[in-house]
Amino acid sequence: VIDAINAKKCYGEYYRGVPVTGMINVSWVHIPKDYNEKIELSECAFIGKVKKIKETIYRNGVWINPFIISYDPYTIYEVEIIENIKGSNEINSSVEIMQMGGINKFNKSASLVNGIIRLEDNKIYKFFPQKIELDEKSYLDVTMPCLIENVN
């Protein structure tokens, strides 16, 4: 559940060179508690290196005033698989990973999800993505806080 009404302003923080102007509060029904549960609940698991942002998609438009619509950004990253843990991922192949939050559509600011690791280019992470359907397309999602771990 996204608590857009209580999203707080976070002036002074920057994300990829633009100011963060909103934080998205998300409530989780169940958060895996340990490594084995993460593996069990994930679609696949691997260690991967973030190559770049591939695209940002925008959903859930809300009118802020009669002239402006605000959308939730969902950032799609290209990630190179370094080591497979679960699933049929090939080493050195790339996958698309989605994370809610990112640079906003109509201005030079960002909205981010509270409490999650923000992916950075050329950094290595352990991923435990869950498969979700969004606009009739499947994505490997890592928005939940425990679905990413820093490796370096």
Side-chain angles (χ1 to χ4, degrees):
V1 177
I2 299 169
D3 187 359
I5 295 170
N6 293 321
K8 65 180 181 179
K9 300 288 183 189
C10 293
Y11 299 108
E13 184 178 350
Y14 284 81
Y15 170 77
R16 295 187 176 259
V18 298
V20 175
T21 58
M23 293 301 277
I24 303 166
N25 294 314
V26 181
S27 298
W28 309 106
V29 175
H30 175 74
I31 296 177
K33 305 253 185 295
D34 61 29
Y35 183 81
N36 289 334
E37 191 175 7
K38 288 181 193 181
I39 294 288
E40 184 180 323
L41 295 175
S42 65
E43 181 71 21
C44 56
F46 56 89
I47 296 173
K49 181 177 184 178
V50 176
K51 302 304 278 180
K52 65 180 180 179
I53 290 178
K54 186 169 181 182
E55 67 177 311
T56 303
I57 56 176
Y58 301 93
R59 303 192 73 245
N60 310 322
V62 175
W63 287 96
I64 294 178
N65 65 40
F67 306 104
I68 298 175
I69 300 175
S70 177
Y71 295 90
D72 292 330
Y74 291 76
T75 304
I76 312 296
Y77 297 89
E78 180 182 329
V79 176
E80 178 186 358
I81 296 172
I82 295 172
E83 181 182 331
N84 190 46
I85 298 170
K86 174 187 173 183
S88 58
N89 301 305
E90 293 183 31
I91 308 284
N92 298 323
S93 66
S94 291
V95 294
E96 291 182 3
I97 294 290
M98 182 176 78
Q99 188 177 53
M100 186 179 187
I103 297 176
N104 293 318
K105 186 172 187 174
F106 294 116
N107 54 26
K108 303 235 183 260
S109 65
S111 295
L112 303 174
V113 176
N114 264 330
I116 65 172
I117 294 173
R118 297 180 188 129
L119 299 176
E120 297 179 45
D121 296 348
N122 298 312
K123 294 244 176 150
I124 297 172
Y125 303 92
K126 197 176 287 184
F127 293 91
F128 304 91
Q130 295 182 330
K131 185 176 178 181
I132 65 165
E133 301 290 327
L134 197 63
D135 298 329
E136 299 179 13
K137 185 173 178 184
S138 293
Y139 292 96
L140 293 175
D141 181 73
V142 292
T143 300
M144 187 182 298
C146 65
L147 300 181
I148 308 168
E149 294 177 3
N150 285 307
V151 172
N152 62 346

